[in-house]
Amino acid sequence: MKTYEIWIKNQGTNKALDTYIDTFPIRTHDVNLGRMVVIGDKPLSKREKMIIKRSVIVSTVQLYHQRKITQSIWRKREDFFDELLNNKIDENTLQRHLHVFDFNPQQPNRILALKQDPFDNKKDILQFISLLHPEIDAFIKDQYIVLVLTEKQFEIETFTSKLQKAIQEEFKNIKTYISVGRIARNLKDLAKSYKDACRICDFIQLAYPTDSRASYYEELEPVIMFLKGIDQEELIDFCRETIGKLVAYDETNQGNLVITLKAYLDHNGNLQQTADDLHLSIAGLRYRIEKIESLCQADLKTGTGRFKYQLAIRIYFAMQIINMRPMLAAYPSNH
């Protein structure tokens, strides 16, 4: 194993190794199923190569058969979710599908959705996840790889971080977007958890297209209702147009105008409470509010004006929680 790990680290070369390594691809129907790696202290003889090639044929048949079984299970899980989302699940349907799942639908579960860019190796990634976590139900649904997380896997931040890191190490030069929906305590809520995960997954891909990111329901709960009914790209554009200049000003001048605006809105425009919260004088706070209104051409004295900026602030901080450099600072100055 140590020799193999060194060989992998050296990108498949025998450099600085006192051993001989041969690889034999395991392929069928133009599908790469893996490879057999043979490590020894001397070169393989012709007879040994012949024996290994025969064993590769056996492995190919076995792995191909296993792959077909796995794909059949994925399709059954996908069909189950189609029925679940279309409200066609009854007790008979549930019992008919339970044998292809490891999770208990009567216990708390959550749906994890994963998208990758580029999209052309979805099945390979799913196969990798299935090998990495054979105890977790996983399948492809539309453009997502879907995992059903049971109560035991509820350390969401740790789990998603490790999963994303493992995928990045195995599949170079791809970006992954991972999201987790709400806790579901019954089948109806499981459908909601799936929809949450898909919407959040789409949102973080739009918000942060240049790097892999992960998020979950609790982080975006304040804006999740808007993700349901509004075009997500328009939602991000709205945030940029509303407070983009404010964010750019803070980054350029190491300012605190965004935090000031958030505190002001959190206290419903109460100057004294906001000033106390930020440890500012009333005069200092008034100066900041005037600066905010000037930069954004905003009227924060009306309920309508405050609501608009409250929404933009919530979207902005939801994006910040996902822990990525904000796109807003790069927003063009003519907006």
Side-chain angles (χ1 to χ4, degrees):
M1 180 57 70
K2 185 177 179 180
T3 300
Y4 177 78
E5 289 172 353
I6 295 173
W7 179 72
I8 288 293
K9 189 175 181 180
N10 291 335
Q11 299 182 335
T13 66
N14 288 32
K15 184 178 179 182
L17 292 178
D18 296 327
T19 53
Y20 293 86
I21 297 179
D22 290 275
T23 61
F24 300 83
I26 302 175
R27 291 181 59 83
T28 181
H29 297 85
D30 295 324
V31 176
N32 183 27
L33 299 174
R35 64 186 174 191
M36 183 175 290
V37 180
V38 182
I39 302 172
D41 56 2
K42 59 184 178 180
L44 291 172
S45 66
K46 289 184 179 180
R47 182 175 182 277
E48 288 170 334
K49 286 184 178 181
M50 181 186 67
I51 293 171
I52 289 171
K53 287 179 180 179
R54 288 178 180 175
S55 69
V56 166
I57 294 173
V58 176
S59 297
T60 301
V61 172
Q62 179 64 28
L63 287 175
Y64 183 74
H65 178 66
Q66 188 62 45
R67 182 184 177 92
K68 298 298 288 185
I69 292 174
T70 302
Q71 289 176 338
S72 174
I73 293 174
W74 292 343
R75 283 193 294 271
K76 289 177 181 178
R77 290 172 180 170
E78 182 179 348
D79 291 343
F80 172 83
F81 260 75
D82 280 334
E83 294 183 358
L84 178 66
L85 296 175
N86 292 320
N87 297 315
K88 295 180 179 179
I89 295 294
D90 53 27
E91 188 62 30
N92 291 331
T93 306
L94 177 61
Q95 293 301 321
R96 192 167 67 249
H97 286 86
L98 275 182
H99 71 282
V100 300
F101 287 98
D102 292 325
F103 78 96
N104 182 348
Q106 306 306 324
Q107 297 295 322
N109 298 284
R110 301 181 76 155
I111 298 299
L112 181 150
L114 182 150
K115 293 174 71 175
Q116 83 277 359
D117 182 20
F119 299 98
D120 54 1
N121 55 352
K122 195 181 282 86
K123 288 185 178 180
D124 291 335
I125 294 176
L126 177 57
Q127 189 83 32
F128 174 72
I129 293 172
S130 297
L131 290 172
L132 194 65
H133 294 286
E135 77 283 2
I136 294 178
D137 293 300
F139 55 98
I140 292 173
K141 179 75 176 75
D142 299 328
Q143 56 189 315
Y144 311 97
I145 295 175
V146 178
L147 280 68
V148 184
L149 304 182
T150 65
E151 193 172 13
K152 294 178 182 178
Q153 289 116 21
F154 274 11
E155 292 294 333
I156 298 302
E157 289 188 69
T158 302
F159 180 82
T160 54
S161 176
K162 288 183 176 180
L163 177 63
Q164 198 159 45
K165 183 179 179 181
I167 294 172
Q168 295 292 154
E169 290 177 351
E170 181 71 16
F171 300 90
K172 309 297 184 184
N173 302 319
I174 71 163
K175 296 182 288 290
T176 55
Y177 308 95
I178 298 178
S179 60
V180 182
R182 73 187 71 183
I183 295 177
R185 303 185 186 280
N186 52 56
L187 284 176
K188 184 177 180 181
D189 285 347
L190 198 65
K192 292 179 180 178
S193 185
Y194 170 76
K195 291 176 181 178
D196 292 339
C198 293
R199 291 185 182 109
I200 294 170
C201 202
D202 294 342
F203 178 73
I204 60 177
Q205 183 182 22
L206 282 170
Y208 309 114
T210 60
D211 199 6
S212 298
R213 286 293 137 192
S215 187
Y216 50 96
Y217 179 79
E218 288 78 4
E219 288 184 329
L220 296 179
E221 191 172 4
V223 296
I224 197 72
M225 293 299 294
F226 292 98
L227 297 184
K228 293 180 180 179
I230 299 176
D231 182 277
Q232 294 181 5
E233 191 167 1
E234 289 184 11
L235 199 65
I236 295 169
D237 285 344
F238 163 78
C239 182
R240 291 171 171 172
E241 291 169 2
T242 305
I243 61 171
K245 289 184 177 180
L246 208 60
V247 176
Y249 179 89
D250 274 357
E251 290 207 346
T252 302
N253 300 279
Q254 296 183 332
N256 295 299
L257 295 185
V258 174
I259 295 295
T260 300
L261 177 58
K262 182 180 185 300
Y264 180 73
L265 295 172
D266 286 346
H267 292 293
N268 297 312
N270 186 300
L271 290 176
Q272 188 62 59
Q273 291 178 356
T274 305
D276 291 344
D277 188 19
L278 297 175
H279 305 290
L280 293 172
S281 66
I282 293 294
L285 177 60
R286 286 186 188 277
Y287 172 79
R288 288 193 185 183
I289 296 299
E290 289 172 3
K291 186 70 175 178
I292 290 169
E293 290 182 323
S294 173
L295 282 170
C296 298
Q297 298 181 340
D299 182 4
L300 299 176
K301 299 178 181 66
T302 66
T304 302
R306 287 201 294 269
F307 176 77
K308 175 182 177 180
Y309 285 87
Q310 181 77 60
L311 175 57
I313 282 289
R314 285 190 175 275
I315 297 169
Y316 171 77
F317 276 96
M319 293 165 68
Q320 292 305 293
I321 288 171
I322 302 171
N323 193 27
M324 173 77 178
R325 174 185 172 276
M327 295 169 61
L328 304 180
Y331 199 73
S333 58
N334 62 333
H335 282 72

